[in-house]
Amino acid sequence: MKALSFRLIVLALCLPALSVGAQPERPIPYPLDPIRGFDRAVERGTRTTTGHPGAEYWTNTATYRIQAELDPATATLTGVQTVQYFNNSPSPIDRMVIHLRQNLHRPEAIRNRFVPITGGMTVEGLAAGGRSLEEVASFGRPGYILSGTLMYLTLPAPIEPGGEATLEMAWHMDIPPEGAPRMGHDGEVFFLGYWYPQIAVYDDLVGWKAEQYQGDGEFYMGYADYEVDITVPEGWLVAATGTLQNADQVLPTEVRGRLERAATTDEMVRVVRSNERRAGRSTAFGDNGRLTWRFAAENVRDFAFGTSDQYVWDATRARTGENGHTMIHALYRPGASSWQRSAEFTRFSIEHMSEMVMPYPYPHMTSVEGAIGGGMEYPMITIIGGRRNDLSLFNVTYHEVAHMWFPMIVGTDEKQYMWMDEGMVSFNTNLGTEAFFDIDPWREDELFYHGIAGAGIEVPSMRHSDEYPIDTMARLIASYTKPALMLRALQGMVGEDLFLEAYREFARRWAFRHPTPLDFFNTFEDVVGENLWWFWRSAFYETWTMEHVVADVRSDEEAVTVTIADEGDFPMPAPVRVTYSDGRTVDDVVPVDVWLSGRREGTLRFPAGDVVRVEIDPDGFLPYLYRIDNVWER
Ligand SMILES: [Zn+2]
């Protein structure tokens, strides 16, 4: 669809002044709220006010070496891990925070959704720098304190700037049955997400940003390299974040040959078929009936894996950028409807997103079926459950694949700013659906949003993801649907090409970093060359709706004068198209300054002539609550 660019110059950089004594007829947006630590980060040179990371920007990194063994019969996972943590910050670190997210399932956990109850994560031992540490009652001496899903660790010696620490841990956990958010097992498929003790993010804004995992809100994670050994029974296929390092030990020659074909041709290859699902055919035979699969991943914010002895396996490859390729895998039970097309959908999503945002940088993307109701993203892998038709599986697949860019590559804080990844991903998914099925997904989103928009039960998008009204549409609309519609409105306002330029520039600047909403807003303004504070405020901090109507159309010998009224509270430029009886059209825009000056009506003058139709937002970029008043016809 061709876009009408209704860009405009905003003259005022802050609240426009009303003439003395005049009362505004409408609310005027406040300036943006500050973000904790942001101004100080600018002073210290780690961030800027132009949306670039600062010259002094840093992230801490880590290397995880994990050996984990799954026992499907008892649904338990046992692990040992060694983590090297690198302090790239300018400050010494004497205390660390570690996520034990499986403790969400303990009976006493604080939660904001229903989950199955398990024993959670049991820490069997912990050592820092080779020194064994015990659970302690207070922070005064080296040791750890367990609190809900968090472990606070006081180190024997601080990690100096530029220094590192080595942590060794032994642990075991119960794998929750179906009903766990985002992972678990259904008896046949085991999917392990947020399973190992993971070091929290220490960032340039606030230092440790470690919040309890309560179930609803998702994650804020740092970048690390992983080497993970996963031991499962022979005959069980394993798909994971990272690249398989020992295919010759766990896969028979014939399976490896099929994978090789998938990697070097564009064929869709059936790697393991339904009549081959047994040790000796789908996998090698193991020692004592068990096989250890070894994976490695670089620069990812998490590691997850799925395994089953019921899976079949399809593979192909996808193009990523000019000459690049990545592997595509789909593992599913043969009865799962539409999954025969999973690898095709996954490939399309990777290629489409690579073109739209930036080339996919990782060696594979894998979709696995089962165990959960919806879909959940992890680096290089997604788990998708539920009964689905083609459109539904495509939608979820594209959505989860788009998460590889937001928040996997662009490492936003999903807990604090859920809209940043879910909104962007929902926006991308609609563009993907439009391209694949040639249908318009925007009207459906508008209808969903209108279900509560302006009804007083909406909440702003800029809300912590653990603080939404539980089990309501408000959370979905504020985090997914509305921000997607707002990005669409922004795209209409600045023009599709310039929008994409800014969107890509944001991803490029903040890949493998931790941007806040201000970094997004500032990058956009930097690229577009306009101050859009009123848009960010109205779109993400308020629940105002857009409502332009054609109030009046008058013709005389000199001009056609069109009056547009704004009956909503969201100040937004109103693009107007006038059509004359000879079919000629003229476009113009009521600039946002009219609304920001406190007025409810603005007028546009068009060339005189025989006007037969006046339409607001003719290209359909704006999510008006009522479209019926958008058109005047003679
Ligand atoms: Zn999502």
Side-chain angles (χ1 to χ4, degrees):
M1 195 188 306
K2 193 178 166 294
L4 163 72
S5 169
F6 50 96
R7 200 136 75 80
L8 67 149
I9 307 301
V10 178
L11 300 170
L13 296 186
C14 57
L15 295 185
L18 288 164
S19 58
V20 177
Q23 291 296 315
E25 297 163 1
R26 57 177 304 144
I28 296 170
Y30 291 118
L32 302 189
D33 298 345
I35 281 179
R36 198 177 144 217
F38 193 90
D39 290 347
R40 199 179 51 180
V42 172
E43 275 167 33
R44 290 177 175 176
T46 59
R47 307 214 176 211
T48 67
T49 53
T50 56
H52 291 273
E56 305 297 320
Y57 187 79
W58 52 267
T59 56
N60 285 354
T61 51
T63 303
Y64 288 78
R65 286 184 189 79
I66 308 176
Q67 284 102 44
E69 178 156 2
L70 169 73
D71 181 0
T74 57
T76 51
L77 190 74
T78 309
V80 293
Q81 66 185 50
T82 303
V83 187
Q84 268 175 295
Y85 184 74
F86 303 96
N87 180 12
N88 304 316
S89 85
S91 317
I93 291 175
D94 54 7
R95 191 178 297 158
M96 299 181 72
V97 192
I98 297 170
H99 291 285
L100 305 175
R101 296 192 179 92
Q102 286 301 318
N103 285 343
L104 169 74
H105 297 274
R106 287 201 179 197
E108 72 278 11
I110 296 166
R111 287 180 286 265
N112 48 22
R113 69 195 275 168
F114 291 106
V115 303
I117 300 303
T118 72
M121 161 76 62
T122 304
V123 176
E124 294 164 1
L126 188 156
R131 179 174 159 186
S132 174
L133 295 177
E134 303 293 324
E135 194 170 353
V136 292
S138 70
F139 286 119
R141 59 195 175 90
Y144 63 85
I145 293 173
L146 293 172
S147 169
T149 67
L150 295 176
M151 169 191 272
Y152 297 94
L153 178 65
T154 303
L155 293 165
I159 319 170
E160 296 302 329
E164 62 181 79
T166 303
L167 300 183
E168 294 159 275
M169 293 179 81
W171 48 264
H172 67 264
M173 58 167 275
D174 296 336
I175 303 170
E178 279 179 284
R182 311 178 179 101
M183 51 87 63
H185 77 90
D186 59 16
E188 292 181 345
V189 171
F190 286 73
F191 192 90
L192 276 297
Y194 56 93
W195 50 282
Y196 58 95
Q198 186 190 39
I199 297 172
V201 176
Y202 182 89
D203 71 17
D204 64 312
L205 295 168
V206 297
W208 289 110
K209 181 83 191 290
E211 298 172 324
Q212 296 284 341
Y213 181 44
Q214 298 183 45
D216 260 359
E218 294 192 82
F219 312 105
Y220 184 33
M221 293 170 164
Y223 290 94
D225 296 340
Y226 288 79
E227 285 175 22
V228 181
D229 291 353
I230 301 160
T231 302
V232 294
E234 60 184 15
W236 285 61
L237 293 172
V238 183
T241 301
T243 308
L244 183 61
Q245 303 293 301
N246 62 339
D248 53 336
Q249 289 169 353
V250 297
L251 297 175
T253 313
E254 193 174 4
V255 169
R256 280 185 278 139
R258 291 173 187 169
L259 279 175
E260 184 59 28
R261 201 166 83 236
T264 48
T265 68
D266 292 324
E267 258 179 85
M268 188 69 66
V269 180
R270 307 284 176 205
V271 178
V272 171
R273 303 180 175 102
S274 60
N275 60 357
E276 298 171 333
R277 294 176 293 167
R278 61 183 181 279
R281 290 302 297 273
S282 60
T283 74
F285 289 109
D287 295 333
N288 305 319
R290 303 185 76 73
L291 279 173
T292 297
W293 299 57
R294 173 165 295 170
F295 294 90
E298 284 176 10
N299 216 7
V300 287
R301 42 170 262 163
D302 197 7
F303 189 101
F305 68 93
T307 180
S308 178
D309 61 352
Q310 299 300 308
Y311 277 153
V312 295
W313 182 356
D314 297 344
T316 186
R317 66 175 187 177
R319 281 184 316 280
T320 54
E322 290 278 289
N323 302 309
H325 283 96
T326 193
M327 285 297 293
I328 300 292
H329 303 283
L331 289 90
Y332 55 95
R333 287 168 286 193
S337 53
S338 293
W339 272 81
Q340 298 73 19
R341 296 191 70 186
S342 168
E344 175 196 349
F345 295 160
T346 306
R347 176 172 65 190
F348 176 86
S349 308
I350 285 285
E351 291 182 347
H352 196 251
M353 282 294 294
S354 288
E355 213 168 294
M356 185 167 22
V357 185
M358 64 161 64
Y360 183 66
Y362 293 122
H364 75 87
M365 178 65 214
T366 298
S367 297
V368 303
E369 174 270 332
I372 65 171
M376 181 59 197
E377 70 278 10
Y378 297 88
M380 303 184 217
I381 189 167
T382 173
I383 173 89
I384 298 172
R387 289 172 60 83
R388 302 192 179 275
N389 58 23
D390 285 3
L391 179 59
S392 151
L393 184 61
F394 175 88
N395 261 306
V396 183
T397 301
Y398 196 108
H399 180 103
E400 309 309 344
V401 167
H403 274 308
M404 299 306 125
W405 281 261
F406 310 104
M408 300 306 165
I409 298 170
V410 181
T412 55
D413 178 353
E414 302 171 274
K415 265 178 116 59
Q416 184 81 49
Y417 308 110
M418 187 175 171
W419 71 269
M420 283 189 83
D421 74 308
E422 296 301 349
M424 290 184 196
V425 158
S426 300
F427 172 79
N428 289 134
T429 303
N430 279 358
L431 296 184
T433 306
E434 265 179 330
F436 192 85
F437 287 106
D438 197 22
I439 56 173
D440 175 8
W442 296 104
R443 297 291 86 85
E444 202 177 310
D445 272 10
E446 282 184 11
L447 282 177
F448 187 58
Y449 163 58
H450 294 162
I452 63 170
I457 50 173
E458 229 195 307
V459 294
S461 297
M462 202 69 83
R463 178 178 285 222
H464 193 287
S465 62
D466 280 315
E467 292 167 8
Y468 284 112
I470 290 172
D471 271 347
T472 64
M473 280 164 73
R475 177 172 177 273
L476 287 179
I477 284 172
S479 303
Y480 292 71
T481 318
K482 183 182 163 188
L485 291 169
M486 292 299 133
L487 291 174
R488 170 85 171 154
L490 182 62
Q491 193 184 25
M493 182 167 68
V494 304
E496 281 175 293
D497 291 346
L498 192 55
F499 175 92
L500 272 183
E501 195 185 322
Y503 202 66
R504 286 178 184 138
E505 181 63 10
F506 168 66
R508 197 187 63 75
R509 288 180 186 181
W510 290 95
F512 309 109
R513 294 169 169 160
H514 301 302
T516 67
L518 283 180
D519 299 304
F520 177 67
F521 301 156
N522 291 339
T523 296
F524 238 88
E525 295 183 354
D526 189 36
V527 174
V528 169
E530 288 177 31
N531 189 322
L532 298 167
W533 65 274
W534 52 271
F535 179 81
W536 312 128
R537 177 86 221 178
S538 308
F540 300 111
Y541 295 78
E542 307 289 349
T543 55
W544 294 336
T545 56
M546 293 181 202
E547 211 56 74
H548 297 138
V549 304
V550 183
D552 192 34
V553 179
R554 277 167 205 269
S555 281
D556 58 30
E557 272 137 43
E558 281 168 19
V560 177
T561 305
V562 174
T563 302
I564 302 297
D566 189 355
E567 296 184 352
D569 286 338
F570 192 133
M572 187 73 185
V576 178
R577 178 169 298 160
V578 163
T579 308
Y580 296 86
S581 55
D582 59 4
R584 190 166 44 101
T585 62
V586 178
D587 290 353
D588 201 355
V589 180
V590 181
V592 76
D593 286 357
V594 171
W595 319 129
L596 293 180
S597 69
R599 280 182 279 162
R600 281 280 182 197
E601 283 193 352
T603 54
L604 294 173
R605 281 165 69 82
F606 292 88
D610 185 21
V611 167
V612 292
R613 182 180 166 89
V614 175
E615 184 174 9
I616 308 173
D617 186 31
D619 294 316
F621 280 99
L622 304 181
Y624 292 127
L625 206 46
Y626 301 102
R627 269 187 187 277
I628 195 155
D629 302 326
N630 291 157
V631 179
W632 172 94
E633 277 177 321
R634 194 180 67 191

